[in-house]
Amino acid sequence: MSSELTVLVCGIGEDASAVARGLFGEGYAVALHKCASPLTLRRRMSFADAWYDGYAVLDGVEARRADVASEFMLGLQSRAFIPLLRGQLADVIERWPWHVIIAAREDKEDDVGSFLNLAEFTIGLGSSFSPGVDCDVAIATHGPDPGAILRAGDGWPKEWPEAQHSVVSAPVSGQFRADMPIGALATQGAPIGYIGETPIPAPLGGRIVGIARREQAVAEGAPIAEIAENVTARVAGVSRRSQLVARAASFAIELENEGIKPFSFEDWG
């Protein structure tokens, strides 16, 4: 049944990428969507760099930017890679009969309102969604039970950010020049990069788990780096937490499968 269902994952950050990769591995016809340039810091734990570079690989699966229809169709039909669409969401939804839409609100630009009724089944990732209001079901992404599936009327479990991580924000607007790569060890007080002539000191020592792209334009207050106090913190691949979120998305779809009419590429002309 999975090979007959088409899934659009709106988002390109850590959780959205893990969900897309997981469903792709199970045989679903999966595409990613991200209209605006992503602000993702944990780029080695996501497909975010595909938006800029044309492709990115996450744990052996490639996402490839599909700016032309032929590339989109090639990815969707061949299952050789996950196509990434960058147009307006309304256009992306209209161009294909999506069975399932999964959405993650990662940046301010992602708050496009309700996803409910945009497909036969909709899933929201994270507590910014209200099941029954802007999606059919929602999935907890943090807190004591990541991967918990919530339906209309269910209360959200308490969520909290991952401990021992420090997010570095831009003190001024400008072009950020990263001087350290993801995975490098930062020293407290030493610069991890510059915005113009302004140095950006590390607020603590630890491992850089995420950092903005080199030469990326940033606004004052925007997150530009994430440092883990634990020097052995994971910096690449799908984390255990995101794996649980991806499995929950797959399980939620399987629960709805019998009510979703399969699609055939042969019938699409």
Side-chain angles (χ1 to χ4, degrees), residues 31 79 90 119 138:
R79 311 294 206 276

Side-chain angles (χ1 to χ4, degrees), residues 105-155:
R105 290 176 176 144
E106 300 162 345
D107 305 325
K108 292 180 180 179
E109 296 85 354
D110 294 325
D111 191 5
V112 296
S114 175
F115 285 84
L116 193 66
N117 300 322
L118 294 183
E120 296 178 59
F121 186 53
T122 58
I123 301 174
L125 302 180
S127 58
S128 66
F129 288 93
S130 299
V133 177
D134 50 17
C135 59
D136 290 302
V137 302
I139 296 175
T141 56
H142 293 80
D145 194 13
I149 299 173
L150 293 89
R151 296 185 177 273
D154 292 340

